[in-house]
Amino acid sequence: YSFDRVFGPESTQEEIYREVAQPILDEVLLGYNCTIFAYGQTGTGKTYTMEGELEERQGRLTPRAGIIPRAIYKLFETLDSEHAEYSVKVSLIELYNEELRDLLNNDDSRTLRIFEDQSGSGVIVQGMEESIVSTAGEALAIMQEGSKNRSIAFTKCNEKSSRSHCIFTLTVHIKEIIPGGEEVLKVGKLNLVDLAGSENINRSGAEHARAREAGMINQSLLTLGRVINHLVDHSQHVPYRESKLTRLLKDSLGGRTKTCLLATVSVAKMNQEEIISTLDYAKRAKNIRNRPEANQRMYPKVLLREYEQTIERLKADLQVRQMKINKE
């Protein structure tokens, strides 16, 4: 097997962030869409690597903080050091049993739908809440609150097994002055994806609802594997639409996004089959060739129109809620 980096059990969270995530964040600040996703057997440290410890101590991250909190802090640190005029939005969604859920909005009546952006800039999730944040602490607090809503359960392989795929997205707009004195906005997006773990149901002891969850997780990961194989083989048809997971990750797999895959493996001999499967998966994914393109600069008027549309949507949601309350 040949990979770009290999980290052992003694590697620190800081080391992994510095080697893997920081170069990706630098590309986001240049105006690219980027994705980092963690894949591997259940219980091998995907959520620990992506999230780790989200709590601060004395206003600072702990050594156990993962990629997401470190990326949040480094993003604001860089923007502030450059005295840039900027805005940052965050969102957090999960895919549970092939149903999309907004972890920042507990309104179960809201349906999230996936659309492909006609401008070719990726996938749009309609109905998803995006929160504008002005500090790293604010963004981290939203992440902490949203993570509490994520679907987890106890299994024999992992006492806090994630039962859903989770996507945390940072979108940044940075003001620039182009030749001629006109103001434009540079746009970058960072998707941080914590995939639910592939699971051997017999070994994990999953039964009833847990077993159904595991079946859905494995099915979506199998579809992801087929998409990777089709891309590597340059097939004319790639089955993105067979799963919502692959639809969400479409631009990250063979599209315009710069993508990094973190494969997590166990060191236990009893997991040899899963270790080989994960490494094969990662080896195939490494052969995918994306076509990264920087996002087109945006004029402030366009962003203002987006904000106006968001305000109108929120007003409509508020009216619907008030009508429901009045009926009750």
Side-chain angles (χ1 to χ4, degrees):
Y1 296 100
S2 175
F3 299 112
D4 297 307
R5 300 279 190 283
V6 177
F7 300 95
E10 73 288 346
S11 299
T12 64
Q13 295 278 64
E14 166 62 28
E15 182 185 351
I16 293 171
Y17 174 79
R18 187 177 63 248
E19 294 286 330
V20 175
Q22 185 56 51
I24 295 285
L25 182 62
D26 292 340
E27 297 289 347
V28 172
L29 292 167
L30 291 174
Y32 286 89
N33 291 346
C34 299
T35 297
I36 300 174
F37 67 94
Y39 170 84
Q41 177 191 359
T42 185
T44 51
K46 295 179 299 300
T47 302
Y48 178 73
T49 302
M50 296 304 291
E51 293 183 13
E53 196 169 277
L54 296 173
E55 290 73 24
E56 298 172 286
R57 290 183 189 166
Q58 298 178 334
R60 301 182 68 177
L61 295 176
T62 73
R64 293 166 62 87
I67 286 174
I68 291 175
R70 290 176 189 274
I72 289 171
Y73 264 74
K74 194 63 180 179
L75 172 65
F76 280 95
E77 182 184 304
T78 304
L79 291 170
D80 290 336
S81 69
E82 294 175 354
H83 305 290
E85 285 189 48
Y86 63 85
S87 71
V88 177
K89 295 187 294 186
V90 299
S91 65
L92 183 62
I93 59 174
E94 75 168 0
L95 181 61
Y96 173 72
N97 284 350
E98 277 298 297
E99 291 296 325
L100 279 175
R101 293 177 57 211
D102 190 341
L103 298 182
L104 302 186
N105 189 316
N106 291 323
D107 184 1
D108 293 331
S109 65
R110 179 184 289 186
T111 302
L112 303 186
R113 292 186 175 89
I114 305 170
F115 293 97
E116 288 183 32
D117 189 356
Q118 296 303 312
S119 67
S121 61
V123 172
I124 295 173
V125 179
Q126 187 186 55
M128 176 182 70
E129 187 160 311
E130 290 184 293
S131 300
I132 297 173
V133 292
S134 54
T135 66
E138 198 178 328
L140 195 58
I142 288 174
M143 177 67 197
Q144 289 170 353
E145 199 59 36
S147 291
K148 293 175 185 175
N149 298 324
R150 190 174 179 190
S151 303
I152 60 171
F154 172 87
T155 72
K156 289 180 181 177
C157 293
N158 187 356
E159 65 179 34
K160 289 186 177 179
S161 174
S162 300
R163 313 309 287 171
S164 67
H165 308 298
C166 191
I167 303 175
F168 179 75
T169 302
L170 287 159
T171 305
V172 57
H173 295 82
I174 306 169
K175 190 169 87 172
E176 287 185 326
I177 307 296
I178 59 175
E182 195 169 11
E183 290 183 0
V184 293
L185 296 170
K186 180 169 59 178
V187 186
K189 183 181 287 188
L190 178 58
N191 302 304
L192 296 159
V193 185
D194 179 16
L195 296 175
S198 56
E199 189 170 317
N200 182 316
I201 294 175
N202 292 330
R203 195 177 295 165
S204 69
E207 296 179 332
H208 310 301
R210 298 288 86 83
R212 284 194 296 275
E213 289 168 353
M216 296 294 278
I217 291 167
N218 289 342
Q219 185 61 42
S220 61
L221 293 174
L222 282 170
T223 303
L224 179 59
R226 283 199 300 275
V227 165
I228 290 171
N229 288 337
H230 278 73
L231 288 168
V232 172
D233 295 337
H234 304 291
S235 301
Q236 286 189 326
H237 172 70
V238 180
Y240 289 113
R241 302 187 71 84
E242 289 184 11
S243 167
K244 287 181 181 175
L245 175 64
T246 45
R247 288 187 69 192
L248 287 167
L249 294 177
K250 181 177 179 181
D251 202 49
S252 302
L253 299 165
R256 297 170 56 250
T257 298
K258 296 197 173 188
T259 301
C260 173
L261 167 65
L262 277 166
T264 60
V265 294
S266 166
V267 294
K269 188 175 287 187
M270 65 180 288
N271 294 320
Q272 185 174 355
E273 186 180 329
E274 286 86 354
I275 294 168
I276 292 171
S277 173
T278 299
L279 294 177
D280 285 342
Y281 210 100
K283 181 183 177 182
R284 293 287 284 173
K286 194 175 185 304
N287 290 321
I288 295 173
R289 291 292 172 260
N290 285 10
R291 306 174 305 280
E293 294 176 23
N295 293 311
Q296 288 187 342
R297 298 304 193 254
M298 180 187 288
Y299 288 96
K301 287 180 182 177
V302 177
L303 184 61
L304 190 60
R305 198 177 307 127
E306 282 187 10
Y307 285 154
E308 287 171 350
Q309 289 171 350
T310 301
I311 290 168
E312 291 304 315
R313 178 176 58 78
L314 292 171
K315 283 181 179 177
D317 287 348
L318 188 60
Q319 281 183 331
V320 170
R321 287 186 189 182
Q322 286 175 338
M323 287 170 65
K324 284 183 179 177
I325 291 169
N326 292 336
K327 285 180 181 178
E328 290 171 1

